[in-house]
């Protein structure tokens, strides 16, 4: 006899919460599910019985996935730490980035008057270390910089650059001053350039990689995927056509190895 899973329970809660079906219809489908010798998902049964449309089912599954990610992030936020002996003075930026990578975070934020924070699934999770004062945060952020880079920052009060950290990969750093002192936002980039098919973009975007001339503008707010889209289009061309690809970037985020094309 099939056993109810946590996913089924969450799915049923969402369906009833948004009143997609009645309690009687839900109980009927749960009873049918329990009688089946071979397990079938509750959503499939609701669709077969005509209580849900396929489009509605996809919406419910999307909400379910987001709630599962949110719960996972909340659970991780209760246990995220660096070490039992970590202090503001002995924190190490490469170690923090490695830890953020291990947790599957997309960003690490280091800022004065706050403990370091990681970003995962769009949520900010503070690490269990003491808050950093201005001196500690400045040392953590600028400690490994060459003197000319420190001079650039002191003159401009902001810096943007990319680098490769062993064991972590490509990292994009945005350093700036704010009212409380200094801050650094470190974006952890994927090891490989994204694939167009995995970005869930409109089908027309793939056709852009077949254009032989013209101007293509990729615009949008920070974090919407402009660089990922551009890198995916370039990688599609790179894997298919014997061209010479020249990119003008500052900083360079994705390192595209030459495949069918020569990338420079």
């Amino acid at each position: 006899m099939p056993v109810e899973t946590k996913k089924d329970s969450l799915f049923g809660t969402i369906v009833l919460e948004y009143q997609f079906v009645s309690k009687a219809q839900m109980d009927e489908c749960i009873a049918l599910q329990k009688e089946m010798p071979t397990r079938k998902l509750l959503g499939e049964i609701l669709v077969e019985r005509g209580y849900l449309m396929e489009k509605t089912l996809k919406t419910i599954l999307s909400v379910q996935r987001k709630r599962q990610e949110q719960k996972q992030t909340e659970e991780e936020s209760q246990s995220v730490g660096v070490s039992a002996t970590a202090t503001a003075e002995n924190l190490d930026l490469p170690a923090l980035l490695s830890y953020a990578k291990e947790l599957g975070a997309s960003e690490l934020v280091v800022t004065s008057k706050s403990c370091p924070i990681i970003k995962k699934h769009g949520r900010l999770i503070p690490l269990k270390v003491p808050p950093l004062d201005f001196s500690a945060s400045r040392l953590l952020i600028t400690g490994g910089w060459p003197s000319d880079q420190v001079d650039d920052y002191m003159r401009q009060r902001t810096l943007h650059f990319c680098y490769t950290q062993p064991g972590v990969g490509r990292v994009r750093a945005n350093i700036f001053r704010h009212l409380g002192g200094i801050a650094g936002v470190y974006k952890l980039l994927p090891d490989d350039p994204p694939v167009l098919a995995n970005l869930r973009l409109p089908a027309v975007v793939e056709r852009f990689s077949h254009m032989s001339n013209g101007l293509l503008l990729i615009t949008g707010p920070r974090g919407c995927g402009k660089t990922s889209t551009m890198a995916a289009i370039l990688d599609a061309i790179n894997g298919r056509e014997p061209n010479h690809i020249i990119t003008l970037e500052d900083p360079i985020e994705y390192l595209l190895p030459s495949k069918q094309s020569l990338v420079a």
Side-chain angles (χ1 to χ4, degrees):
M1 178 179 293
V3 178
E4 184 186 57
T5 65
K6 290 183 178 180
K7 283 188 176 181
D8 279 337
S9 178
L10 176 58
F11 178 86
T13 299
I14 295 170
V15 170
L16 293 177
E17 177 184 330
Y18 287 93
Q19 300 180 352
F20 288 119
V21 302
S22 67
K23 181 69 164 56
Q25 290 170 331
M26 176 64 72
D27 290 341
E28 174 192 335
C29 291
I30 291 175
L32 286 172
Q33 185 187 45
K34 290 180 179 179
E35 294 173 359
M36 292 179 175
T38 304
R39 175 166 184 78
K40 183 173 287 190
L41 295 176
L42 189 55
E44 293 178 301
I45 300 173
L46 286 166
V47 171
E48 288 177 359
R49 301 292 292 179
Y51 297 148
L52 277 183
M53 293 173 41
E54 287 281 359
K55 184 177 181 180
T56 305
L57 176 60
K58 291 180 180 179
T59 301
I60 297 170
L61 293 176
S62 177
V63 174
Q64 180 187 40
R65 183 171 59 253
K66 289 180 180 177
R67 289 196 183 180
Q68 288 170 336
E69 291 175 351
Q70 179 179 348
K71 187 175 186 299
Q72 180 184 358
T73 302
E74 289 173 350
E75 290 174 349
E76 290 172 348
S77 69
Q78 301 299 317
S79 59
V80 166
V82 178
S83 74
T85 59
T87 66
E89 288 71 27
N90 66 18
L91 285 177
D92 176 72
L93 183 60
L96 284 175
L97 288 168
S98 295
Y99 187 62
K101 175 85 170 183
E102 179 184 335
L103 292 174
S106 59
E107 291 183 5
L108 169 71
V109 181
V110 177
T111 181
S112 303
K113 300 184 178 180
S114 172
C115 58
I117 296 170
I118 63 170
K119 184 176 183 180
K120 183 175 180 180
H121 300 316
R123 296 175 61 86
L124 298 178
I125 306 175
L127 299 180
K128 291 185 176 180
V129 296
L132 306 173
D133 59 22
F134 176 72
S135 297
S137 57
R138 181 176 60 182
L139 179 62
L140 185 61
I141 291 172
T142 67
W145 291 2
S147 58
D148 58 339
Q149 199 167 26
V150 175
D151 292 341
D152 287 343
Y153 169 73
M154 294 302 294
R155 183 174 62 256
Q156 302 174 23
R157 300 302 191 197
T158 181
L159 272 183
H160 307 283
F161 57 92
C162 284
Y163 64 99
T164 301
Q165 177 177 313
V168 174
R170 295 290 289 171
V171 178
R172 173 165 183 164
N174 295 304
I175 316 300
F176 54 92
R177 288 294 298 269
H178 62 90
L179 185 62
I182 186 174
V185 179
Y186 301 87
K187 180 180 179 182
L188 280 64
L189 302 172
D191 296 328
D192 299 310
V195 178
L196 273 175
N198 297 338
L199 295 181
R200 299 181 181 179
L201 296 169
V204 67
V205 176
E206 196 277 333
R207 297 210 298 268
F208 294 155
S209 68
H210 296 272
M211 296 171 61
S212 59
N213 54 56
L215 177 65
L216 173 62
L217 300 178
I218 304 174
T219 65
R222 179 186 180 275
C224 71
K226 300 184 297 296
T227 303
S228 296
T229 301
M230 180 189 70
I233 292 174
L234 291 177
D235 192 57
I237 298 171
N238 184 25
R240 186 183 62 238
E241 301 176 13
N243 290 328
H244 187 187
I245 299 175
I246 300 175
T247 67
L248 304 176
E249 306 171 68
D250 185 20
I252 299 174
E253 292 195 17
Y254 290 98
L255 298 179
L256 300 176
S258 296
K259 298 177 182 177
Q260 297 299 318
S261 298
L262 173 64
V263 183

